[in-house]
């Protein structure tokens, strides 16, 4: 389609700000981005839609326009919600580079323009996509109950007689058409995801064709416009390979004409819009997780953490009457060379594979709150409170089974230069226990990292297995270890009758709970805090740290 045709469509709300002489350019695609440099995700011929979140000053406008022009973009359309207007420096930069520039009316969503361009471009190539796009518009305007990608897949079945499924990189079936019949078996999903990831890592051009149990599938990547699509062969493929969805079609695309391949690429664009919307819906949960974890790691008062958790609980567990228990899961993705940040990838993976055991619905992982920093992602997993006859530590996620069905596909995506390690804490019943749970999950992850394999997990239960090593520790090592930690406390107890050793034993038995320990010892909490402070002062250790608590635990056992 021509750029000129966009101005003739009043419903798009486009106003030309410059480039009138270039309106006969042909549009071959559309991309929405707020990246400061989206050039590596462009193939040429696109209309680029942007909300200007990347712009800080005039120099940013010049750089952005220069980069997209070099990538072959045919026009730029700017929203005004960010600044309230299109800045003059952007208008001038587009004029210098002969790039047509449109202003988008605030009342028109980028999704509306995207769907119009996809419909027009695909309609010129193959008219059978028009029905898909028209009905997808109703999906996009009907809110979260509109059916999501399932509706698009249903249209592939009814209009094009294609059975198709949307899969996560971990092999989870995100959506499937009703015409596809029975659900795709989990082992087939995992196999398809693994084959797709392996092909992507080797730079093979999509669609990837795979035969499983005599059936041929064609696999198309679904690349998110918000995060950017990584082109095959790009050095940054590791940034998205473990987070992008894929479209699996039961057909051999090797026999398809170019028009049919273009049509399916248009369908993946429509599904990517839904993916971006789901990602945006997770923003609140991610922010809650970040706020809670910052409070925990900075040593905030339990009351302050508990207040933040009371805000988080209704978002993560709507309708729950009782305060939940919590588990902490820590994941780390590390790439060879250290030039690719693993935190965002680990965050996306945890959101895919962590599922509240008592939740239901198409997106149970939406009840998980995950934050990330550096190469590490941290998840707060809410667990509905159980009755008193149950031990809360026995509920929830089990590290041994967490990765059972996803290990193979993820290993294919990690290839020979990546590694995923996960640690799972026990359930805690209050804000006071979250710091210990975080340290416990991190220590369990380090236990997993000590093992061989590309994808490894360890749980809190395995930390107690250190006791199994004690009989094999040489006597001289045992004596030196216990003397260094416990002799200062024994000496102090002999001189002052302070009972620091019994206090330490009780404190560890109570999992670091001040109230439970004080009750067991019949002490005021302030007295207990004084004794623990004296222990830390004499030994130069910190009993809020899991490593130090573990050292004391082992020293007491070896003594």
């Amino acid at each position: 389609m021509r750029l000129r045709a966009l101005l003739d469509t009043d419903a798009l709300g486009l106003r030309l700000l410059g480039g009138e002489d270039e309106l006969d350019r042909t549009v071959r695609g559309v991309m929405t981005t707020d990246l400061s440099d989206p050039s590596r995700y462009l193939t040429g011929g696109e209309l680029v839609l942007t909300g200007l979140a990347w712009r800080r000053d005039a120099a940013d406008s010049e750089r952005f326009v220069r980069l997209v022009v070099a990538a072959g973009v045919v026009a730029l359309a700017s929203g005004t919600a960010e600044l309230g207007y299109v800045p003059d420096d952007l208008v001038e930069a587009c004029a210098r580079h002969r790039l047509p520039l449109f202003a988008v009316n605030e009342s028109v969503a980028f999704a509306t323009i995207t769907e119009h361009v996809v419909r027009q471009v695909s309609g010129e190539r193959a008219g059978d996509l028009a029905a898909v796009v028209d009905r997808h518009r109703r999906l996009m305007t009907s809110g979260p109950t509109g059916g999501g990608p399932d509706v698009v897949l249903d249209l592939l079945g009814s209009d094009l007689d294609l059975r198709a499924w949307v899969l996560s990189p971990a092999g989870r079936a995100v959506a499937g058409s009703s015409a596809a019949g029975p659900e795709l078996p989990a082992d087939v999903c995992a196999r398809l995801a693994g084959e797709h990831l392996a092909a992507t890592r080797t730079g093979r051009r999509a669609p990837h064709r795979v035969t499983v149990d005599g059936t041929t599938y064609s696999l198309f990547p679904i690349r998110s416009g918000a995060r950017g699509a990584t082109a095959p062969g790009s050095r940054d493929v590791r940034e998205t390979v473990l987070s992008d969805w894929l479209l699996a079609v039961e057909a051999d695309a090797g026999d398809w004409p170019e028009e049919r391949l273009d049509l399916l690429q248009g369908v993946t664009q429509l599904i990517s819009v839904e993916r971006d919307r789901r990602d945006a819906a997770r923003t609140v949960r991610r922010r809650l997780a970040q706020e809670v974890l910052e409070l925990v790691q900075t040593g905030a008062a339990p009351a302050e953490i508990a207040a933040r958790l009371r805000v988080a609980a209704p978002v993560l567990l709507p309708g729950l009457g009782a305060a939940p228990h919590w588990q902490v899961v820590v994941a780390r993705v590390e790439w060879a060379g250290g030039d690719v940040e693993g935190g965002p990838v680990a965050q996306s993976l945890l959101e895919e594979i962590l599922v509240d055991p008592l939740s239901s619905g198409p997106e149970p992982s939406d009840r998980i709150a995950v934050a990330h920093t550096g190469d590490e992602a941290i998840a707060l997993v809410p667990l509905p409170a159980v009755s008193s006859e149950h031990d809360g530590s026995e509920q929830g996620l089990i590290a041994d089974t967490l990765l059972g069905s996803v290990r193979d596909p993820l290993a294919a995506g990690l290839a020979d230069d990546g590694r995923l390690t996960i640690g799972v804490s026990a359930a805690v019943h209050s804000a006071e226990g979250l710091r210990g749970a975080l340290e416990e999950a991190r220590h369990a992850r380090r236990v997993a990292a000590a093992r061989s394999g590309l994808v490894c997990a360890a749980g809190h239960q395995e930390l107690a297995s250190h006791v199994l090593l004690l009989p094999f520790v040489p006597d001289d090592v045992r004596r030196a270890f216990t003397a260094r930690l416990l002799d200062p406390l024994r000496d102090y107890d002999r001189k002052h009758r302070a009972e620091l050793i019994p206090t330490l034993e009780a404190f560890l038995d109570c999992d670091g709970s001040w109230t439970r320990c004080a009750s067991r010892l019949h002490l005021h909490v302030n007295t207990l805090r004084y004794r623990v402070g004296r222990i830390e002062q004499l030994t130069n250790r910190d009993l809020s740290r899991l490593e130090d608590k573990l050292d004391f635990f082992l020293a007491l056992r070896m003594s």
Side-chain angles (χ1 to χ4, degrees):
M1 67 175 297
R2 306 283 185 181
L3 283 175
R4 192 177 306 278
L6 296 175
L7 287 175
D8 296 334
T9 307
D10 294 338
L12 298 183
L14 295 177
R15 180 167 54 91
L16 184 65
L17 299 181
E20 184 174 359
D21 294 337
E22 307 293 333
L23 291 181
D24 286 329
R25 292 182 179 183
T26 299
V27 181
R28 293 199 297 269
V30 62
M31 177 186 181
T32 299
T33 184
D34 275 319
L35 295 174
S36 60
D37 179 11
S39 58
R40 64 183 183 274
Y41 308 133
L42 296 164
T43 58
E46 293 96 341
L47 166 67
V48 168
L49 309 174
T50 180
L52 301 181
W54 46 265
R55 182 192 174 277
R56 295 295 178 270
D57 53 34
D60 290 337
S61 294
E62 171 63 26
R63 178 175 181 272
F64 182 89
V65 171
R66 175 169 43 83
L67 289 170
V68 297
V69 167
V73 166
V74 298
L76 183 66
S78 170
T80 58
E82 182 79 14
L83 301 177
Y85 61 95
V86 178
D88 291 340
D89 50 77
L90 180 60
V91 177
E92 294 165 3
C94 287
R96 280 193 297 272
H97 292 275
R98 300 181 63 83
L99 181 68
L101 175 64
F102 300 94
V104 182
N105 190 289
E106 286 186 8
S107 64
V108 179
F110 281 0
T112 300
I113 301 174
T114 297
E115 291 168 11
H116 177 83
V117 172
V118 169
R119 184 177 71 249
Q120 294 299 319
V121 171
S122 300
E124 293 170 1
R125 297 171 180 166
D128 52 2
L129 184 59
V132 176
V133 179
D134 287 338
R135 290 176 60 186
H136 185 264
R137 170 177 294 175
R138 292 196 293 274
L139 158 70
M140 297 300 296
T141 58
S142 59
T145 60
D150 300 85
V151 173
V152 180
L153 300 185
D154 285 343
L155 295 174
L156 284 179
S158 61
D159 296 358
L160 308 181
D161 197 26
L162 291 175
R163 288 157 46 90
W165 301 263
V166 174
L167 306 179
S168 79
R172 180 173 66 90
V174 177
S177 62
S178 58
E183 292 184 2
L184 206 59
D187 60 330
V188 176
C189 290
R191 172 80 181 276
L192 294 177
E195 294 284 353
H196 174 75
L197 293 175
T200 302
R201 288 306 312 272
T202 56
R204 284 167 47 197
R205 183 178 179 181
H208 310 128
R209 287 176 290 158
V210 179
T211 299
V212 180
D213 298 332
T215 301
T216 299
Y217 300 87
S218 296
L219 310 177
F220 297 80
I222 298 172
R223 298 189 173 107
S224 168
R227 297 188 314 274
T230 301
S234 169
R235 67 179 181 86
D236 293 321
V237 66
R238 295 171 295 177
E239 295 178 4
T240 57
V241 67
L242 292 176
S243 55
D244 283 338
W245 286 351
L246 67 129
L247 175 66
V249 180
E250 189 182 295
D252 188 346
D255 299 329
W256 288 1
E258 195 67 28
E259 290 79 9
R260 177 58 64 93
L261 289 173
D262 288 343
L263 183 150
L264 264 292
Q265 295 294 350
V267 170
T268 64
Q269 282 188 307
L270 297 181
I271 297 174
S272 75
V273 173
E274 177 66 18
R275 171 67 190 272
D276 292 343
R277 185 168 66 175
R278 292 191 186 189
D279 282 350
R282 288 176 172 170
T283 301
V284 173
R285 290 185 292 278
R286 289 173 174 175
R287 186 180 298 118
L288 286 172
Q290 193 70 51
E291 291 175 355
V292 171
L293 291 168
E294 285 177 1
L295 291 174
V296 170
Q297 294 184 99
T298 56
E304 186 177 359
I305 300 173
R308 178 54 56 187
L309 285 177
R310 283 194 294 272
V311 174
V315 175
L316 298 175
L317 290 177
L320 187 69
H325 301 320
W326 300 89
Q327 268 183 292
V328 175
V329 180
V330 172
R332 192 175 184 90
V333 172
E334 297 170 287
W335 300 104
D339 55 335
V340 176
E341 186 180 10
V345 178
Q347 180 183 50
S348 179
L349 285 177
L350 285 184
E351 289 173 338
E352 288 290 350
I353 66 179
L354 292 180
V355 176
D356 184 332
L358 297 184
S359 67
S360 60
E363 284 295 313
S365 59
D366 280 352
R367 294 186 175 186
I368 309 298
V370 188
H372 79 83
T373 176
D375 290 331
E376 182 183 71
I378 304 170
L380 284 175
V381 183
L383 304 171
V386 295
S387 56
S388 59
E389 65 266 19
H390 290 89
D391 179 4
S393 65
E394 296 177 355
Q395 59 174 335
L397 302 166
I398 306 298
D400 289 340
T401 58
L402 186 61
L403 297 177
S405 63
V406 302
R407 181 175 276 106
D408 288 343
L410 294 183
L414 292 164
D416 57 355
D417 59 350
R419 194 152 191 253
L420 168 66
T421 51
I422 292 180
V424 182
S425 79
V428 294
H429 305 191
S430 66
E432 193 174 45
L434 273 181
R435 185 175 180 184
L438 176 58
E439 291 296 325
E440 189 174 57
R442 281 176 167 160
H443 189 69
R445 192 208 62 79
R446 287 192 287 270
V447 171
R451 298 170 175 165
S452 60
L454 297 180
V455 182
C456 297
H460 63 95
Q461 304 93 335
E462 299 177 62
L463 302 186
S465 64
H466 290 74
V467 179
L468 300 176
L469 303 177
L470 298 185
F472 304 98
V473 179
D475 289 341
D476 57 340
V477 175
R478 293 160 64 97
R479 284 192 296 270
F481 183 79
T482 58
R484 186 168 64 253
L485 280 176
L486 301 183
D487 280 2
L489 306 182
R490 290 176 178 138
D491 292 341
Y492 193 88
D493 280 349
R494 280 195 297 269
K495 294 177 182 178
H496 303 281
R497 297 181 179 180
E499 298 186 333
L500 295 185
I501 292 290
T503 299
L504 175 61
E505 292 176 327
F507 188 72
L508 295 177
D509 285 344
C510 293
D511 298 324
S513 170
W514 297 99
T515 54
R516 297 207 324 263
C517 184
S519 176
R520 176 183 294 190
L521 296 175
H522 305 290
L523 296 174
H524 191 278
V525 171
N526 288 342
T527 304
L528 175 60
R529 291 186 184 277
Y530 173 82
R531 288 188 183 180
V532 170
R534 179 63 67 186
I535 292 170
E536 293 174 333
Q537 182 182 27
L538 292 171
T539 60
N540 197 29
R541 298 297 186 107
D542 181 358
L543 276 167
S544 66
R545 297 179 68 248
L546 178 63
E547 289 89 343
D548 289 345
K549 285 192 283 190
L550 182 60
D551 284 348
F552 279 121
F553 170 77
L554 294 174
L556 290 168
R557 288 298 184 95
M558 287 192 289
S559 65

